[in-house]
Amino acid sequence: MRTHLFLITLLATIFCACHKTVEIVPANEQSLFSSSDKALEQSYTWARNMAYSYAHTDHDPVGYWYEAALPNREAFCMRDVSHQTIGAHILGLQAHNKNMMMRFAENITEEKDWCSYWEINRYNKPAPADYDNDSTFWYNLPANFDVTQACLRLYEWTADEDYVSDATMLNFYEKSLNEYVERWNLKPENAFKRERYMNKAANFDYGNSFHVCRGLSSYAETFPGITMSIDLLSSMYAANKAYAKILKMNNVADCEEYMERAEAYQQIIEERFWDADSVRYNTFWTQDMVFRRGEGVPFILWFDVTENVEHKQAAIKDILADEWNVENLSAFPAILYRNGYNEDAYRITLQLPTMRRSEYPEVSYGVIEGVIAGAMGVEPRLSEGVIATCSRLKRGTTAEVKNVPLADGYISLKHEDDKSEIVNNTTRSLTWEVEFIGDCATIEVDGKSYPAEERKDTFGNVISSCKVKLGAGKSLTAVAKY
């Protein structure tokens, strides 16, 4: 613990000394985290400083943006942005998130077989490292679906109607879930019938990476012969589920069609990719018509595909037993905290700032999400008018976060062992879904007792909760009574 604290503090000091700080978000509007656990606080502070260093104003032709690709490429890619958005939102980068998502949405075209640009640079051009022309470029097929589900997640934090009603965004979702699916033969019934290379250029060259990687069936870019992957299936499940919800918000009658598709992809994962003998998931279906193992299992949890507790536990056991690059590890704090594997989540949250390639932008944004959405358990569902919280901190730890952006304002939250305090600095009346780890009989909120409802998380922790009204501009204090 002392070693981690020393290294994180040293890194934060060196970082701040070597980088000119640009105030992207005014100091009084930044999300500030403090804790009696100084190692956790230092990890957050390191991540906040690092993440802000990658954020840029609207002075570039592309508009507001932050780096979400290899450092120094001055660009953002669809996968990384989709995974950095919540951390970015927590830091007050709402304009950045919205602008980048709009850029992806506006560049979907039939000429590119309903792809967008995988990576866009600060000049509002497709990054040359990934693009020559509309028939010769790099593209991972989960990207459209990842962006779609990420936009709904952003709506749950922002209540920004553009994510669910803007014509450009709706066109991107509609084309991605229909024409794109048709063009790349991604319907559930064709999952095991796809060809390795599709929509090939007239001068297709197996030695040209922009030809053979134009339509990769996975985010795993080096495994040979993949025609279908568990991360692609998981992203399609999440995107169809998200689009069904967006259509329902817009009172579109046929939204159930997309829920049915989501369930079909889920069924393929649970019945075909799940290996009951090995008690784990396969990850790739290849052109040789066999299952293979490789990267991909974390996406089952990232996209929250399975409802089977045994399968979730097996997936978590799988990822904890392996070694991963920082791109994957960046998502682990949020994933593990959400599923109740709090000790493992905490360990990785402290390790990430000191790992090799910790300067990769996804790392810092992942730590921010891990601390606030994970350890502090902040989960807005503004489509339902709900703000949920659950302390997953170590016993004996006090922690507080101020100025977490929500809708048109902010919330602040403080946790002690069996007590949570929340402040609603928005103009919205919300329902506070307050949760505590442990089997408690009642939860007392501002002196009034409520019977606790119980559930178990994936790890097996008992979670006790109640729902209470949290008025605009109001604060509440909840205490678990055992």
Side-chain angles (χ1 to χ4, degrees), residues 178-337:
N178 292 285
E179 284 86 343
Y180 182 76
V181 168
E182 288 280 355
R183 188 67 60 92
W184 293 96
N185 201 20
L186 296 172
K187 285 187 174 180
E189 59 267 28
N190 298 326
F192 298 99
K193 304 174 184 176
R194 300 183 69 255
E195 297 177 14
R196 168 66 183 86
Y197 303 107
M198 298 184 62
N199 304 309
K200 296 186 289 188
N203 61 340
F204 187 81
D205 178 4
Y206 287 99
N208 186 330
S209 63
F210 282 6
H211 285 180
V212 298
C213 296
R214 187 185 185 272
L216 288 168
S217 302
S218 172
Y219 281 140
E221 298 172 338
T222 58
F223 198 98
I226 303 172
T227 61
M228 181 53 67
S229 69
I230 204 159
D231 55 306
L232 178 53
L233 287 164
S234 297
S235 71
M236 289 190 286
Y237 162 83
N240 276 280
K241 190 175 178 181
Y243 189 47
K245 188 167 186 175
I246 291 169
L247 290 178
K248 190 173 183 179
M249 291 180 193
N250 287 287
N251 298 310
V252 176
D254 64 352
C255 61
E256 287 305 314
E257 171 189 349
Y258 296 94
M259 277 304 300
E260 291 171 2
R261 288 192 201 176
E263 290 165 2
Y265 291 120
Q266 183 185 52
Q267 186 175 9
I268 293 170
I269 292 170
E270 295 292 69
E271 295 183 3
R272 299 292 301 275
F273 275 73
W274 174 254
D275 185 337
D277 293 332
S278 299
V279 196
R280 63 185 187 182
Y281 287 99
N282 291 305
T283 55
F284 305 131
W285 178 253
T286 69
Q287 60 191 4
D288 300 325
M289 307 292 281
V290 293
F291 284 110
R292 299 290 187 193
R293 287 266 303 168
E295 292 184 44
V297 172
F299 287 99
I300 301 166
L301 302 163
W302 178 258
F303 293 119
D304 202 19
V305 176
T306 180
E307 299 168 5
N308 186 306
V309 174
E310 178 192 1
H311 291 189
K312 279 189 178 183
Q313 291 172 339
I316 292 171
K317 180 181 178 181
D318 200 352
I319 67 173
L320 290 176
D322 209 342
E323 294 185 5
W324 301 90
N325 58 29
V326 294
E327 290 90 334
N328 280 289
L329 280 166
S330 299
F332 286 9
I335 288 172
L336 294 170
Y337 272 126

Side-chain angles (χ1 to χ4, degrees), residues 61-63 76-78 98-127 131 133-135 137-139 143-144 147 166-173 175-176 180 184 214:
V62 77
F76 50 94
C77 87
M78 297 176 79
K98 185 174 179 178
N99 179 59
M100 292 188 291
M101 289 307 196
M102 286 288 186
R103 296 302 184 189
F104 293 136
E106 70 189 12
N107 282 297
I108 189 172
T109 62
E110 184 172 10
E111 290 74 17
K112 297 195 294 293
D113 295 304
W114 302 111
C115 297
S116 179
Y117 293 132
W118 168 249
E119 195 168 348
I120 298 173
N121 65 21
R122 68 189 310 160
Y123 305 106
N124 200 24
K125 301 291 184 182
Y131 177 90
N133 55 60
D134 281 359
S135 62
F137 59 88
W138 187 291
Y139 209 80
N144 287 39
V147 167
D166 177 81
T168 300
M169 299 305 298
L170 290 176
N171 177 68
F172 177 84
Y173 307 149
K175 293 294 189 292
S176 296
Y180 182 76
W184 293 96
R214 187 185 185 272

